[in-house]
Amino acid sequence: MTEGANSISKAAALAIPWPGPDSHKHNRGRLAVICGGPLQTGAARLAAAAGHRVGAGWVSLIAAPEAAVILACHETERLILERRAGAQLSDLCEGFDACVLGPAFGLSEAHAGDVLDLVTGFAKPLVLDADALTLLGRTGPEGDLWQAVRARTAPTIITPHAGEFERLAGDYAPDKKAEVSLALAQALNVIVVHKGAVTWVATPEGDLAFSDLATPFCASAGTGDVLAGLIGGLLAQGMAGFDAACAAVWLQASAANRIGPGLIAGDIVSALPAILNDLVPEELKRN
Ligand SMILES: NC(=O)C1=CN([C@@H]2O[C@H](COP(=O)(O)OP(=O)(O)OC[C@H]3O[C@@H](n4cnc5c(N)ncnc54)[C@H](O)[C@@H]3O)[C@@H](O)[C@H]2O)[C@@H](O)CC1
Ligand SMILES: Nc1ncnc2c1ncn2[C@@H]1O[C@H](COP(=O)(O)OP(=O)(O)O)[C@@H](O)[C@H]1O
């Protein structure tokens, strides 16, 4: 079944959108990243910074007041959107082109309700990662949330690591990673980015690609949050789901490889401009 799978190469990243003379911050893609509680803001900040670096022109972090104050102490370029009691995430995300939900979000019933609200009410491309996937695994195929994800018409990209994948689809043999990724993509009607030393990207239509490019120094907290943000940033700029996922996987691996030993997640974000400069059309290149 994996015979038709493509190895993700630089060509995937050459397809990313570039700004032109008519670009301004609001038409380069507006990305929303949903933040968790006040002690858990780092993961969303990593995702938001990655989405911003990869070209989204306007990136907002959406957080409850206690977390918004923490964000305000850290953020310079990202906008902070305070979520007052009773406000629905789907309402706050109106006007954004894509959204990332899950990194360090939380696992309570209220969080599960928020995930269901956004999955149902946000009709644009959505990246579900981390806690959003754990909550999805809890409801299982018969649950409201699973059914709501299946019913979405806008692209949904999920980015499970092996532990999160098992919560969604159960145990699998290591040599069946491609097959189980495709099966989950079909079962959930989503694009699956099944992370690890080999990362597989699978769609419900049967597209399949893989990357084994990334340094094992990627095995470090927050690197998956960066990947989720990269995908979100590319989706916000209008890239199709599978293309955005493949490009983000290549960019994350290439930026990480440029750092190597000592890598921590934020370094991937910092290494991106150099990687992008190697890809950008000549007239936009830094000299
Ligand atoms: N800067 C931050 O604030 C960060 C916050 N994070 C958040 O921390 C919370 C816990 O994240 P975890 O990723 O530990 O998720 P989980 O706590 O959901 O899963 C970890 C469990 O899964 C198992 N597992 C199996 N295969 C694994 C694999 N390939 N990679 C990771 N775990 C695997 C582990 O043994 C462990 O028991 C999430 O909310 C996450 O978003 C992380 O994203 C790291 C960075
Ligand atoms: N051994 C490895 N070799 C290459 N890449 C890895 C390895 N382990 C993890 N990664 C990559 O690092 C990232 C880790 O993501 P994840 O586990 O979700 O981290 P976090 O939740 O802390 O952000 C993924 O992109 C994954 O593909």
Side-chain angles (χ1 to χ4, degrees):
M1 190 189 281
T2 59
E3 278 142 28
N6 288 320
S7 167
I8 296 172
S9 69
K10 188 175 181 177
L14 283 168
I16 72 174
W18 303 108
D22 296 333
S23 297
H24 60 77
K25 63 193 171 197
H26 291 292
N27 71 8
R28 276 190 78 193
R30 294 167 57 93
L31 174 67
V33 178
I34 313 301
C35 186
L39 300 184
Q40 281 92 29
T41 64
R45 282 191 276 121
L46 282 167
H52 209 178
R53 278 265 192 232
V54 82
W58 180 280
V59 182
S60 285
L61 282 146
I62 300 181
E66 324 79 68
V69 171
I70 308 297
L71 290 174
C73 300
H74 289 278
E75 289 293 337
T76 307
E77 298 91 344
R78 263 72 62 193
L79 288 294
I80 298 160
L81 187 49
E82 195 178 50
R83 181 188 182 192
R84 297 273 163 80
Q88 296 279 70
L89 287 180
S90 57
D91 291 334
L92 294 172
C93 286
E94 239 186 270
F96 287 92
D97 300 307
C99 177
V100 176
L101 172 64
F105 183 54
L107 294 168
S108 72
E109 283 211 9
H111 294 109
D114 285 337
V115 178
L116 181 60
D117 161 56
L118 203 64
V119 160
T120 315
F122 183 63
K124 306 268 186 63
L126 176 62
V127 182
L128 297 175
D129 184 33
D131 294 346
L133 301 180
T134 298
L135 290 166
L136 180 59
R138 278 188 196 164
T139 84
E142 307 308 322
D144 287 0
L145 181 54
W146 191 289
Q147 294 303 325
V149 171
R150 263 194 74 78
R152 275 175 55 80
T153 50
T156 312
I157 289 85
I158 68 167
T159 53
H161 60 51
E164 288 152 354
F165 192 95
E166 282 185 23
R167 280 168 226 161
L168 292 166
D171 280 356
Y172 58 91
D175 65 339
K176 293 283 180 245
K177 193 166 174 181
E179 284 86 344
V180 296
S181 301
L182 269 177
L184 183 62
Q186 280 155 10
L188 263 171
N189 185 32
V190 298
I191 295 164
V192 174
V193 180
H194 189 173
K195 298 178 293 192
V198 182
T199 291
W200 284 91
V201 182
T203 73
E205 294 77 27
D207 305 296
L208 194 59
F210 69 95
S211 169
D212 57 4
L213 295 174
T215 167
F217 288 107
C218 276
S220 178
T223 53
D225 306 325
V226 169
L227 180 67
L230 289 174
I231 299 170
L234 293 173
L235 292 169
Q237 293 171 79
M239 249 186 135
F242 181 70
D243 297 345
C246 292
V249 167
W250 190 90
L251 289 169
Q252 184 221 34
S254 301
N257 293 351
R258 201 162 281 206
I259 306 294
L263 176 151
I264 55 174
D267 297 335
I268 300 177
V269 179
S270 304
L272 270 176
I275 299 292
L276 294 172
N277 196 56
D278 288 345
L279 300 169
V280 78
E282 207 52 44
E283 65 272 18
L284 290 173
K285 248 190 209 309
R286 182 186 61 204
N287 294 313

